[in-house]
Amino acid sequence: MTNTDQSRIRNFCIVAHIDHGKSTLADRIIEKTGLLTSREMQAQVLDNMELERERGITIKAQTVRTIYKAQDGEEYILNLIDTPGHVDFNYEVSRSLAACDGAILVVDAAQGIEAQTLANVYLALDHNLEVFPVINKIDLPSAEPERVKNEIEDVIGIEAHDAPLISAKNGTGIEEVLEAIVKKIPAPEGCADDPLKALIFDSLYDSYKGVIIFCRIMEGRVAKGTNILMMATRASAEVVEVGYFGAGQFIPCEELSAGMVGYITASIKNVKDTAVGDTVTDAKNPCKEPLPGYKKVNSMVYCGMYPADGAKYPDLRDALEKLQLNDASLRYEPETSIALGFGFRCGFLGLLHLEIIQERLEREYNLDLVTTAPGVIYKVHKSDGQVIELTNPSNLPDPSEIEYMEEPVVAAEIMVTTEFIGPIMELCQERRGRYLGMEYMEETRALLKYDLPLNEIIYDFFDALKSRSRGYASFDYELKDYEQSELVKLDILINKEEVDALSFIVHKDSAYERGRKMCEKLKDEIPRHLFEIPIQAAVGGKVIARETVKAMRKDVLAKCYGGDITRKKKLLEKQKEGKKRMRQIGNVEIPQKAFMSVLKLDDR
Amino acid sequence: MRAPDEAGFFCPKALGVYIHIPFCLRKCLYCDFLSGPADLRVQERYVNALCREIREESTKYRGYRVETVFLGGGTPSLLKGEQIQRILGTLYGCYHMAGRCEISMEMNPGTADWEKLTVFRKAGVNRLSIGLQSASDDELKALGRIHSSEDFFHAYRLAAEAGFTNINVDLMTGIPGQTPESCQDTLEKVVNLKPAPVHISAYSLIIEEGTPFYESTPPLPGEEEERKLHEMTRDFLRGQGYFRYEISNYAKPGFACRHNQIYWQRGDYAGFGTGAASLIDNVRFTNSRNLESYLNNERKRTDCQHLSLSEQMEEFMFLGLRMTEGISSRQFLKNFGKTIDQVYPGIIDKFCGQGLLQRRISHKDGEWISLTDFGMDVSNYVMAEFLFT
């Protein structure tokens, strides 16, 4: 299909709240259009990272092209651009949406609209996408499709009365969805004879092909030999191959032209040169202006990552280097901790991004990591007028040099059934939230709006939210601003020695509570030694909480019986093994998990 | 199979024999040994299978002389006198037995009677180990023991009358409800027995996985209290002339249990019965714990491990240090061709500095390294350091 009729292309995405069935619907569409037989079909083709399958979320955007023979007798090319489904990746989502002309809104027939449904739908409408809803999971006994339809019309204001009622799981109603894609989503616009203008919505590093650019051609055409220029990064290269996306494979073709979605390879070595949102143009015949919306992505959350075994430092560095090839939003720079030795301060889009990177390092690169408490970027205004962006609490200047500090604040929207409004408001209050307002979606559900300091939500806010609403609250946020705040550095002293890797920045009103919890937690984690070990939390040299690990009095095995030495040795080996996973701070041995266990302090 | 001694004579090697009897009337609440109640028919089949194993394995031990035998369990005294007689008879028939062979048997006070004791004695048993744990009936009940303290005193009297002079009494500290007073009372009652026991084992109660106590732990004496009980016991027994020769074992001079010393000194020993372990020429093997297959004479070895030189060193250290005399630096050098400080650089000195180990020079055989009293309290902490893993 080299000569594609632009009017028979449909570029679309699926938006939904987590778990409402986005990936399952995508699978059914692929299956139904015959791209894969069901035997070839491994559940959820699009979420192809092992981690994605496990967590049931999409981390990296995936794209697939299928052919659908519609009821009008014509064959249509359907380009499905699957978007990441988490607030950490909002910018990536917005770029994927910009590559589409329409969106399918999937809403769970039992749960109705959730916080992410709204956020995603507004994002899609902002990009002028044609959005049509489908009601999924109608096979559930608790399904209430009529109620949900009304909700969609009332709350979002898009027409929903003819929304296909489907069960992606069972495959019912998929035909109807495909017809709706053809009828409701407009064909792409743009002229193939104008200068090349293509939007990068993702890129991927392949060790053979170099960087593979995922793009939507807005105007013009690109083929092998075209000299392309990335307008924001100013990188240029000669195209080696263009093509489109089969299921899980790249299929080369002659040329990509306006309206098409496909990939470009050009022996580019680094994904940093192919930033998401950048515009690809022809270096010889450039377009006048780049596409709007390009933004440099910034890390929001930082933490220290250290190899559990200090000798693995070079391995960690190599692994981070490799991951960064594919993930331009991952930042890292070497740092040294007195407690943990050599490691890296790493920057992430959010906590989920952090967890994903951490798990990939552990699984794919077989590294045992010690991670310090995640923190946000604070702006430290010094008396001499200098402003420092602080990512590592240990680098906080002396309080006498600080004029004031600022912390990032997010605008959060929490959707919750009315019975849990109380507990959720209480939670937001505890987390220093500023109440902005509340809207009733319908009688039983409300949307709470809060400004929340980012550092209050990066630990365990989501868990707390879920547990205090019995799983019913949903949550979405975006970075709003930096605000001045009374922040202090909380230090932890173990046996009178400050452990740098345990220091963190906290609002002065929460310092005592957090310090106390940290000490309690560490007391449980640090094994007894031959001597007593004080654990103290201090702010500016003043101790605000203390616990004590008592001295070891007894560590002896029971009766050693009948010459069964093997069992005894196993017990000793276990003890020794445990010791190996310890970090020596002064003359105290601290298990590595102690550094991580302090990350989760919410004890409700 | 016989090795010539220094003078050129062929002399047999010493062997310890452990015989496991996996039966008891009822399992105590803290017990995690391989043991349980069984009907008389199973017991009889087990004795037959045991005799068969002892007989069949004997070809392996032609070059050995049995110096010690230990009948452990479970409760070996649960068996009939005649059954013990048959087991030991098989051993006497197929093995080269030393003239002064130490033959120990464990006994539960609730299972002893005069008739049995005289038959045990006649069968060759010359050392009894009686499990008392505590002289307080409340504490015995808390442990789930099947006997009262009166049962014990009765059994002890019978044993003495039957001619047993080498008797051990097992005691325990850290029992639910135990107080310094009750502990003192137990100790006094035991050392004032006539004749006084020549050997006392004093263990700390440890909650092991898989026991009823692990599932629901009763209120135990606090840590400080338990240590006090332990120290009290140690100091009292020393004052009464019992020498602490191992972490949990005290004896009048000349009455240390020779069988246990074989384990700690890494001598050769053969184990018979379910789950019994053996160590022969630095090869360690263990019988399967499965009773059913053992009864059918399908004996399986669950493992068979040739100990490497470094494994031998580890065991030399952590077993040897259980004994108060500790380990001989010269012996280490002789066995392994390297000095301890070469193999474990800095470790001995570190522990000496922490007051956990001590060095002692004997004019006869050079340096010995041993645990201090405090080191014995935290022996795992010290011993784990001598592993290479």
Side-chain angles (χ1 to χ4, degrees), chain B residues 164-297:
Chain B
F164 288 99
T165 50
N166 191 349
I167 302 180
N168 164 58
V169 177
D170 274 348
L171 297 180
M172 198 180 269
T173 55
I175 303 169
Q178 196 175 30
T179 62
E181 293 73 34
S182 74
C183 182
Q184 184 69 30
D185 181 58
T186 299
L187 288 167
E188 282 175 11
K189 281 184 177 152
V190 169
V191 300
N192 290 330
L193 283 164
K194 297 280 179 285
V198 293
H199 191 289
I200 290 171
S201 298
Y203 300 100
S204 294
L205 173 63
I206 290 181
I207 307 299
E208 301 282 353
E209 229 173 296
T211 63
F213 271 5
Y214 187 82
E215 302 310 321
S216 97
T217 308
L220 300 171
E223 187 186 32
E224 289 300 315
E225 183 105 327
E226 195 277 334
R227 284 293 91 186
K228 209 165 131 192
L229 296 171
H230 160 78
E231 279 160 21
M232 228 177 86
T233 305
R234 181 189 69 199
D235 298 342
F236 179 82
L237 291 177
R238 275 183 183 155
Q240 294 290 320
Y242 292 90
F243 171 63
R244 185 189 199 184
Y245 70 97
E246 194 259 357
I247 293 178
S248 323
N249 285 291
Y250 299 80
K252 289 277 173 73
F255 287 99
C257 174
R258 280 157 54 203
H259 183 80
N260 278 339
Q261 284 172 307
I262 291 179
Y263 296 147
W264 304 321
Q265 290 165 347
R266 305 191 67 255
D268 290 324
Y269 56 89
F272 301 122
T274 50
S278 307
L279 176 68
I280 301 293
D281 282 333
N282 282 311
V283 179
R284 186 181 302 295
F285 45 92
T286 310
N287 278 354
S288 158
R289 295 167 69 91
N290 186 321
L291 179 62
E292 200 45 50
S293 55
Y294 189 82
L295 292 179
N296 295 323
N297 299 308

Side-chain angles (χ1 to χ4, degrees), chain A residues 528-531 550-577 579-580 587 589, chain B residues 18 32-33 72-73 106 170 203 206 208 223-224 226-227 231 247 263 269 277 284 311 314 318-319 322 354 356 377-381 384-385 387 389:
Chain A
R528 291 186 173 198
H529 285 54
L530 296 173
F531 45 88
K550 284 209 232 152
M552 186 202 310
R553 298 290 309 278
K554 171 180 148 188
D555 183 11
V556 59
L557 284 178
K559 205 164 177 175
C560 167
Y561 206 72
D564 185 6
I565 309 299
T566 319
R567 199 166 130 218
K568 183 174 166 59
K569 191 176 158 189
K570 273 187 192 138
L571 284 165
L572 290 175
E573 271 169 356
K574 216 164 121 191
Q575 184 155 3
K576 176 107 192 235
E577 202 49 48
K579 252 186 146 171
K580 265 208 229 159
N587 48 4
E589 281 160 339
Chain B
Y18 175 74
D32 76 329
F33 294 139
E106 292 187 318
D170 274 348
Y203 300 100
I206 290 181
E208 301 282 353
E223 187 186 32
E224 289 300 315
E226 195 277 334
R227 284 293 91 186
E231 279 160 21
I247 293 178
Y263 296 147
Y269 56 89
R284 186 181 302 295
E311 285 167 329
E314 292 173 344
F318 78 73
L319 293 173
R322 292 191 69 88
Q354 293 177 340
L356 299 170
D377 290 347
V378 296
S379 59
N380 284 354
Y381 177 84
E385 275 299 298
L387 300 187
T389 42

